[in-house]
Amino acid sequence: MKKNKDLAKGDFVEQTPVQKEVKKDKKKDKKPGFFKRFGMKAKDIFSELKKVNWPNFAKVVKKTGIVLAVVLCFLVVIFAFDTGLLELLKLVAPRG
């Protein structure tokens, strides 16, 4: 067997067992392909969704009503401020 210095381009070099193990480790470290990773991620998502404690219909309706009531309250308050400021602006800077 030739030493590394004496090797010409294209000469065959035997691999030591350590080098073979390193090659095998590199193959194991290689990440899976796009579709494999996508499938694994989708599977994880669906398994997590099964663990979710979903509310019943009555709770959903009740919470939706609360949200709508709060939004309407803020709508009235903002409309009142807007109207008041508009009237104040008309008093301060009349047109015409």
Side-chain angles (χ1 to χ4, degrees), residues 4 13-25:
N4 285 344
V13 179
E14 274 189 53
Q15 291 182 344
T16 63
V18 173
Q19 289 173 330
K20 288 180 183 177
E21 287 179 27
V22 168
K23 263 192 170 178
K24 286 181 184 177
D25 287 341

Side-chain angles (χ1 to χ4, degrees), residues 4 7 15 17 27 30 48 57 69 75 83 88:
N4 285 344
L7 290 176
Q15 291 182 344
K27 286 182 181 179
K30 187 178 177 186
E48 287 296 321
F57 185 72
L75 175 73
T83 306
L88 185 64

Side-chain angles (χ1 to χ4, degrees), residues 66-77:
I66 292 170
V67 168
L68 290 176
V70 169
V71 168
L72 285 174
C73 288
F74 275 98
L75 175 73
V76 168
V77 170

Side-chain angles (χ1 to χ4, degrees), residues 16-64:
T16 63
V18 173
Q19 289 173 330
K20 288 180 183 177
E21 287 179 27
V22 168
K23 263 192 170 178
K24 286 181 184 177
D25 287 341
K26 284 183 181 177
K27 286 182 181 179
K28 288 180 185 176
D29 291 340
K30 187 178 177 186
K31 69 179 183 180
F34 172 77
F35 292 107
K36 180 91 172 173
R37 286 183 287 142
F38 183 78
M40 289 170 29
K41 183 61 94 174
K43 185 178 177 183
D44 289 343
I45 290 171
F46 285 116
S47 71
E48 287 296 321
L49 283 175
K50 288 180 184 176
K51 297 176 187 177
V52 173
N53 187 11
W54 297 100
N56 58 17
F57 185 72
K59 281 186 180 180
V60 171
V61 170
K62 184 178 178 181
K63 301 286 182 174
T64 303

